[in-house]
Amino acid sequence: MADDLAAYRRKRDTDRSGEPSGRGSGGSEDGPVFVVQRHDASSLHFDFRLEIGGTLVSWAVPKGPSLDPRDKRLATRTEDHPLDYADFEGRIDQGYGAGTVVVWDTGHLENLTEKDGAPLALEDALAGGHLKVALHGQKLTGAFALTHTKMGGDDSNWLLVKVDDEGADRRRKPAKTQPESVLSGRTNEDLEE
């Protein structure tokens, strides 16, 4: 798994940024976690991260996750992050990703991916370009699907879509109306101050 974090370490000086180095264990004994961090950097976006194979596999979602199954959100695959990044909040003063980060939502995830009626491991689903997970968070609940697409000829582009289930809500827009951290109650603006 150390190789999975090579790009993460290459892009940042964790001593200066205050971000986790990835040398700690992180993770949870209760099963795999997900985290969505609201990241106000050169532009505001949401970092959608799923624990897969010992790291947080990550996508940048400019508009944030939607609870409306009609919405297809662009999710651009970024470098894997260490598990101890899951509770990182703070201000990155300079360098890659400079800006503020809060934990917008977090909880456990459940793999719902199947192939030919049989469960498919998340590592295999990721490699195959389609995965489906149930999220058990405070703002996000129910199933979400991520599908690899080469929109615009960009191999890093995926689509994030809410599955139409009991967690779906066409009216509630948490990405717009609930900017605060589920851990600290702070917003990105609070960290700027």
Side-chain angles (χ1 to χ4, degrees):
M1 294 310 150
D3 278 348
D4 293 342
L5 296 176
Y8 170 86
R9 292 194 182 102
R10 191 170 49 249
K11 288 184 173 184
R12 50 188 52 79
D13 178 351
T14 55
D15 290 336
R16 290 173 70 179
S17 72
E19 295 168 281
S21 66
R23 309 216 189 282
S25 60
S28 167
E29 295 173 7
D30 299 328
V33 299
F34 83 93
V35 63
V36 180
Q37 283 156 315
R38 190 174 188 267
H39 188 179
D40 194 358
S42 55
S43 63
L44 177 65
H45 63 279
F46 293 75
D47 291 313
F48 186 88
R49 309 187 197 284
L50 304 176
E51 180 180 345
I52 300 174
T55 64
L56 292 172
V57 176
S58 301
W59 293 263
V61 183
K63 292 184 177 180
S66 174
L67 298 177
D68 187 340
R70 297 171 299 182
D71 292 338
K72 292 177 173 60
R73 295 290 200 234
L74 173 66
T76 303
R77 180 82 192 272
T78 62
E79 73 277 6
D80 293 354
H81 281 53
L83 293 177
D84 54 0
Y85 208 95
D87 58 3
F88 172 72
E89 291 193 337
R91 187 174 168 162
I92 304 166
D93 285 325
Q94 55 192 333
Y96 181 75
T100 56
V101 177
V102 297
V103 176
W104 183 77
D105 199 15
T106 189
H108 289 92
L109 72 89
E110 180 185 348
N111 182 14
L112 301 178
T113 315
E114 293 184 348
K115 184 173 184 180
D116 301 325
L120 184 66
L122 281 176
E123 291 92 334
D124 297 331
L126 183 67
H130 179 75
L131 48 109
K132 183 176 167 186
V133 293
L135 302 182
H136 304 283
Q138 294 178 46
K139 297 176 183 174
L140 302 178
T141 59
F144 287 79
L146 272 159
T147 304
H148 191 206
T149 174
K150 294 184 174 138
M151 284 189 319
D154 189 339
D155 195 46
S156 63
N157 286 339
W158 292 60
L159 289 176
L160 174 66
V161 179
K162 176 74 189 82
V163 173
D164 198 356
D165 61 10
E166 71 287 344
D169 190 332
R170 293 175 183 219
R171 293 177 309 283
R172 202 160 66 84
K173 310 281 185 212
K176 289 185 176 177
T177 62
Q178 296 177 278
E180 71 284 343
S181 163
V182 295
L183 297 185
S184 67
R186 298 181 297 180
T187 65
N188 295 84
E189 292 70 25
D190 294 332
L191 295 178
E192 284 292 348
E193 280 166 10

